[in-house]
Amino acid sequence: MMDYSSGNKRAWEYNAYEFWLKEEGPPSKKADKIRENPASMLKKYSAYFDTYEGRKIANICGSCGKKAVPLAVLGAEVTVFDISQDNRRYALFS
């Protein structure tokens, strides 16, 4: 049986950090934008939550932190699962 996991990981990580820089800008600027109005990043989910404070959330395929970081800013305890270390790197600097 072939090991597809390592190939998938390489593909997901290929220039991922550079992609997020181009797409979203530097992590510090993205973090500033999130802190300005974290709820605006979660519009699709607002109908499901009256508050994010104290919620425990698993963010599967968390990518660059687009959802996890605003959730954490709003008081949720967020665990992110993502195969890409470059995605993690970008999200942690946000």
Side-chain angles (χ1 to χ4, degrees):
M1 178 184 259
M2 290 192 65
D3 174 21
Y4 292 102
S5 296
S6 58
N8 288 341
K9 182 172 174 46
R10 278 193 310 278
W12 276 110
E13 289 183 334
Y14 180 77
N15 288 338
Y17 189 81
E18 290 78 14
F19 171 80
W20 291 122
L21 287 175
K22 182 179 174 192
E23 193 72 16
E24 300 288 339
S28 60
K29 297 269 189 209
K30 183 67 176 178
D32 290 342
K33 183 179 176 184
I34 290 169
R35 278 192 291 272
E36 262 178 36
N37 189 0
S40 72
M41 309 291 286
L42 304 168
K43 290 177 191 167
K44 289 194 306 188
Y45 308 102
S46 63
Y48 301 103
F49 296 93
D50 53 348
T51 183
Y52 299 102
E53 186 77 36
R55 302 286 184 153
K56 293 184 178 186
I57 298 173
N59 185 198
I60 311 299
C61 300
S63 188
C64 68
K66 283 186 197 182
K67 302 300 176 215
V69 174
L71 285 164
V73 168
L74 291 169
E77 182 181 324
V78 186
T79 302
V80 177
F81 300 89
D82 196 283
I83 195 170
S84 170
Q85 289 301 311
D86 274 1
N87 285 348
R88 179 180 189 273
R89 181 175 152 215
Y90 187 92
L92 287 176
F93 283 102
S94 290

